Amino acid sequence: MSRFPKISWTEITPESVYLNRRQLMAAAGAVLGAVSLAACGVQPPPAPAAQTAPAPELPPTATPDSRDPVAGGASDELGDPLNTYEQITNYNNFYEFSTDKEAVARLARDFPLTPWTVTVGGLVDSPTTYDMDDIRKLFDIEERIYRLRCVEAWSMVIPWLGFPLGKLLAAAGPKSDAKYVRFQTLHNPELMPGQRSAWYSWPYTEGLRLDEAMNDLAILSTGLYGKDLLPQSGAPLRLVVPWKYGFKSIKSIVSIELVAEEPNSLWMDAAPNEYGFYANVNPDVNHPRWSQASERRIGELGRRTTLPFNGYAEQVAHLYDGMDLRKNF
Ligand SMILES: Nc1nc2c(c(=O)[nH]1)N[C@H]1C(S)=C(S)[C@@H](COP(=O)(O)O)O[C@H]1N2
Ligand SMILES: [Mo]
């Protein structure tokens, strides 16, 4: 599907030297160990984010002609302008650093990004440990302009750099009993002070059904606005699933595991009545404490109507044929 333009990656990184995939696999070493899901046994109290109304918003900071020159004047396929680099990198949900969206960038500034490895394991033929250089060499990085719709009812338009998650999964070779994909963020309370909070079942985990994960829209992102990701955006590698609420787009991933059963997520643990496994953007199903019918685009006054599947129904609605999307929220 090429409704999204490819950018000339040569402008961003030197011509890649492609590793022989088998050499890489051989070098990758041992299988991902069994990662135990944080089962605190204790039911964490409802999350702060889940207790407050939709968070206060940034004042509009940009006019259309102050956009970053890298993608100057560009818009998404609906004609909506991109949010600015400034907005995208200074208004972040990343609870490992802070629950204050405007404090995350500062608190994450010194988060070390090297060395960084991502293990791909579980029910796969070829378990692999990648470092970020491997990933940048093996997968063609392209630009994808996507809307990001937070469950708190704000949204942005972001020009990501990344590659289809499905390509990485195909390289691992899912076994026939693999039905879901489970993602995990780094767990290191020394580097991520928010992880000292006992309110959540760290590390942050998320999951997708395998067919969702294989959909071309689901990407692993390494950058935005033509630059490598900054820590606050989930560097060095984060998921972006544009038809689901933003919390599914897990940041700073260290583990991707193919599993047989529907995995739990941090948000399902924290407030199962508020955050379901599917979390598809759905204006017809309200959050228990606020409406999902409309949203505020950061940088704009007023509200916009929220679109089913965040405007990507044509590409993804078929994944849910026959499902009750009120029950499977
Ligand atoms: N590890 C981790 N990933 C995360 C979060 C988080 O707190 N921790 N927040 C999620 C939420 S609620 C949203 S809306 C998006 C925000 O992404 P952005 O800050 O790049 O806009 O990241 C998601 N991924
Ligand atoms: Mo969110």
Side-chain angles (χ1 to χ4, degrees):
M1 283 176 27
S2 50
R3 62 187 296 163
F4 299 97
K6 285 216 170 195
I7 51 161
S8 172
W9 180 241
T10 50
E11 289 174 21
I12 297 160
T13 197
E15 189 83 307
S16 295
V17 180
Y18 284 79
L19 280 182
N20 174 300
R21 181 157 292 167
R22 223 174 299 130
Q23 286 171 357
L24 181 73
M25 301 290 186
V31 183
L32 165 69
V35 184
S36 66
L37 183 56
C40 316
V42 185
Q43 177 65 22
Q51 288 179 330
T52 55
E57 307 300 345
L58 274 186
T61 54
T63 55
D65 53 358
S66 71
R67 302 197 185 275
D68 192 294
V70 177
S75 57
D76 68 7
E77 83 285 7
L78 302 180
D80 294 330
L82 305 185
N83 281 93
T84 65
Y85 189 73
E86 178 73 13
Q87 290 167 334
I88 296 166
T89 58
N90 286 286
Y91 189 75
N92 301 103
N93 267 335
F94 202 167
Y95 277 31
E96 283 85 341
F97 293 100
S98 176
T99 55
D100 175 353
K101 294 180 198 12
E102 291 168 71
V104 170
R106 179 176 50 81
L107 292 168
R109 198 180 44 209
D110 299 325
F111 180 64
L113 302 177
T114 51
W116 191 280
T117 57
V118 181
T119 57
V120 182
L123 301 171
V124 295
D125 293 328
S126 307
T128 308
T129 300
Y130 296 97
D131 65 29
M132 286 307 298
D133 289 339
D134 300 331
I135 286 177
R136 290 171 199 282
K137 283 173 189 154
L138 283 167
F139 301 101
D140 288 335
I141 306 293
E142 54 189 291
E143 181 167 81
R144 298 282 185 103
I145 297 173
Y146 285 158
R147 294 170 293 285
L148 177 107
R149 188 357 177 125
C150 177
V151 75
E152 297 163 326
W154 55 266
S155 63
M156 298 201 205
V157 182
I158 303 179
W160 300 106
L161 297 177
F163 61 93
L165 168 63
K167 291 196 175 166
L168 179 133
L169 298 178
K175 292 185 188 290
S176 59
D177 50 347
K179 298 284 186 276
Y180 294 88
V181 189
R182 181 176 174 275
F183 305 84
Q184 191 172 302
T185 296
L186 180 71
H187 190 210
N188 186 332
E190 276 174 36
L191 300 176
M192 296 173 139
Q195 289 179 337
R196 292 176 208 147
S197 158
W199 289 80
Y200 300 101
S201 53
W202 307 109
Y204 200 104
T205 56
E206 261 305 338
L208 295 172
R209 218 172 53 196
L210 185 54
D211 60 334
E212 298 179 309
M214 297 303 293
N215 187 278
D216 182 68
L217 289 185
I219 60 166
L220 288 168
S221 171
T222 56
L224 61 86
Y225 263 112
K227 302 172 199 178
D228 285 349
L229 289 179
L230 295 175
Q232 62 265 39
S233 298
L237 191 72
R238 63 91 58 85
L239 183 67
V240 182
V241 191
W243 70 95
K244 292 176 180 283
Y245 290 121
F247 67 84
K248 298 295 286 184
S249 293
I250 180 173
K251 295 177 169 183
S252 304
I253 295 169
V254 292
S255 160
I256 299 174
E257 209 185 353
L258 283 283
V259 296
E261 308 291 335
E262 183 182 286
N264 240 4
S265 69
L266 174 139
W267 286 107
M268 291 163 72
D269 281 346
N273 58 322
E274 302 194 348
Y275 306 107
F277 174 77
Y278 283 95
N280 293 314
V281 173
N282 189 345
D284 297 333
V285 175
N286 290 333
H287 189 279
R289 289 177 294 106
W290 60 82
S291 166
Q292 295 292 26
S294 69
E295 67 201 54
R296 200 166 115 64
R297 183 66 47 84
I298 298 302
E300 290 181 2
L301 299 169
R303 298 183 76 83
R304 288 170 172 263
T305 300
T306 289
L307 302 172
F309 299 104
N310 203 21
Y312 302 99
E314 201 184 304
Q315 294 97 320
V316 300
H318 68 273
L319 296 169
Y320 311 101
D321 281 349
M323 284 177 64
D324 179 347
L325 297 180
R326 293 185 173 271
K327 207 169 134 221
N328 298 286
F329 64 94

